[in-house]
Amino acid sequence: MNGSDSLDALRATLGAIELPGGGSLGASGRVAGLSHAGGRVSLSIQIAPEEAQSFAPVRDQAEAALRALPGVTSVFAVLTSERPAPPKLTPEKPAKTDPLAGIGHVIAVASGKGGVGKSTTTVNLALALRAQGLRVGILDADIYGPSLPTLLGLHGKPGLGQGRKLKPMQAYGLQAMSMGLLVEPETAMVWRGPMIMSAITQMMADVDWGALDVLLVDMPPGTGDAQLALAQGTQLAGAVIVSTPQDLSLIDARRGIAMFRKVDVPILGIIENMAHFICPDCGSSHAIFGQGGAEAEAERLRVPFLGAVPLTMDLRAGSDSGQPVTARDPDGPLGRIYQQIARTMLAGLTTMPQAQRPGQT
Ligand code: ADP
């Protein structure tokens, strides 16, 4: 099955699934983000928060029925509920020519070095913001190792929309665009700072993001020229630094903070990733890399500490299979951690002194 035939078949299948109150799932207008790529089908089913229990069997039925279709190897359906009115984040922006005019806040997610879980954090943070009712996009600017396609299970090339702008890809209610979908990694490897920056600003401008409350930019790791150019050339509302508790990466995190300060981008806070290990067998928690390092460091540097995320098998497996844990279970133990981090970050964004906000000084 391919293309629109495939989507028609998926829709027909959803049309045969009954809802608890009568009517069919397919005709209910509740299905969003239905996609089929490489045998993998994903969709979200919009529900009211109080319908979560009664709709769980509907989700299971939909998954089973879609999985039975020829050419479908896996199905991932999530129940999503729009929470009551989210905080108003999208300020009025007058400039019509500003390609990011419809975006409330562009926030960089950065790390001093690679492998600390920056991309995993970006995706789960985006999903946590989404679970709170915000419109969220992710731009994977990690040109050296773009991992968004894997993390979100994206396949194929983005299509062209109106005005020859690229249509962002959709996954789990997020808008997503990755350098990895557009540029061969070998090409990007030889680019220098200014080239990377222009590629990324062009990508931002060439994507029809629509109206978003938050666009998270998954930055290339490190604090070299490319990162500095990117931080300088993008209209950032703030930056979040991801760090593991080890000393070395804290030193790197300090460099990241210094870099953003140099170009007057406010630091929204530090997220400590892989803070402690949760044993999958007994559920006990082990502080393998020591405890409280990032929090103490945040205090020393006078930047907010946004929260600590444990090292768990669930997170790793979810990331590597394109089924992020916060999409699967936004109110589970890990989802709740990311949601708390998201809330703390948003609170920092909205209470940030006016003088610190880019474009308002
Ligand atoms: P980065 O973007 O910093 O290079 P990634 O997000 O790609 O890092 O993460 C690197 C690896 O670590 C991935 O395999 C990912 O699944 C895993 N990982 C990241 N954070 C966690 C975590 N909290 N628990 C378990 N595995 C994690």
Side-chain angles (χ1 to χ4, degrees):
M1 262 195 322
N2 265 319
S4 57
D5 285 357
S6 135
L7 283 180
D8 287 347
L10 300 179
R11 286 193 197 105
T13 305
L14 295 174
I17 291 173
E18 295 268 326
L19 293 184
S24 91
L25 175 60
S28 64
R30 289 172 180 264
V31 175
L34 182 63
S35 74
H36 181 198
R40 291 149 64 118
V41 171
S42 62
L43 67 147
S44 62
I45 302 168
Q46 319 266 330
I47 56 162
E50 62 276 12
E51 290 175 324
Q53 220 170 3
S54 60
F55 268 72
V58 175
R59 177 193 59 195
D60 295 347
Q61 266 181 45
E63 282 193 345
L66 293 169
R67 208 177 297 118
L69 291 174
V72 174
T73 52
S74 70
V75 180
F76 185 45
V78 277
L79 297 176
T80 52
S81 60
E82 302 285 344
R83 304 289 152 94
K88 183 88 183 93
L89 281 176
T90 310
E92 306 301 325
K93 284 192 183 173
K96 285 192 198 66
T97 49
D98 179 358
L100 302 181
I103 299 177
H105 296 281
V106 183
I107 297 172
V109 183
S111 63
K113 66 172 187 184
V116 301
K118 171 179 54 59
S119 302
T120 302
T121 305
T122 308
V123 163
N124 285 288
L125 184 59
L127 287 161
L129 291 163
R130 171 79 195 127
Q132 288 168 27
L134 300 185
R135 297 161 301 176
V136 186
I138 303 183
L139 174 66
D140 176 12
D142 187 348
I143 200 155
Y144 305 118
S147 49
L148 199 65
T150 309
L151 288 168
L152 290 178
L154 303 176
H155 296 277
K157 296 270 174 206
L160 281 181
Q162 282 184 340
R164 298 192 51 76
K165 285 201 164 204
L166 289 168
K167 283 198 277 197
M169 301 187 97
Q170 316 258 337
Y172 309 123
L174 305 175
Q175 313 272 7
M177 181 56 71
S178 170
M179 251 352 206
L181 297 167
L182 304 174
V183 182
E184 294 301 323
E186 298 78 42
T187 312
M189 285 306 254
V190 297
W191 286 0
R192 297 194 177 276
M195 288 172 77
I196 292 180
M197 201 207 90
S198 65
I200 289 168
T201 40
Q202 188 187 333
M203 180 162 78
M204 283 184 169
D206 285 355
V207 174
D208 187 6
W209 291 105
L212 289 180
D213 294 303
V214 176
L215 177 67
L216 295 182
V217 181
D218 186 356
M219 297 274 290
T223 49
D225 285 354
Q227 291 77 3
L228 190 65
L230 184 53
Q232 204 161 22
T234 315
Q235 226 204 6
L236 294 173
V240 170
I241 310 280
V242 180
S243 173
T244 61
Q246 291 119 300
D247 265 344
L248 181 64
S249 86
L250 287 175
I251 290 166
D252 289 327
R254 252 174 266 165
R255 287 201 192 107
I257 289 171
M259 175 182 85
F260 285 110
R261 287 202 167 137
K262 201 155 138 187
V263 291
D264 288 331
V265 172
I267 307 292
L268 297 172
I270 295 186
I271 298 173
E272 184 179 24
N273 189 36
M274 311 189 193
H276 47 274
F277 172 66
I278 308 272
C279 170
D281 296 329
C282 65
S284 60
S285 168
H286 305 268
I288 293 174
F289 303 120
Q291 208 152 25
E295 191 166 4
E297 186 62 21
E299 206 168 306
R300 247 195 309 278
L301 291 164
R302 285 186 288 147
V303 296
F305 181 68
L306 297 179
V309 178
L311 178 67
T312 75
M313 291 290 279
D314 274 0
L315 253 170
R316 206 228 18 95
S319 291
D320 294 352
S321 64
Q323 304 190 351
V325 75
T326 308
R328 188 49 147 166
D329 196 3
D331 295 314
L334 289 164
R336 281 207 307 270
I337 291 176
Y338 285 112
Q339 290 216 45
Q340 186 55 47
I341 290 173
R343 272 192 289 272
T344 313
M345 186 191 80
L346 288 177
L349 200 58
T350 44
T351 57
M352 195 188 295
Q354 291 290 312
Q356 277 197 46
R357 292 194 184 184
Q360 297 186 10
T361 46

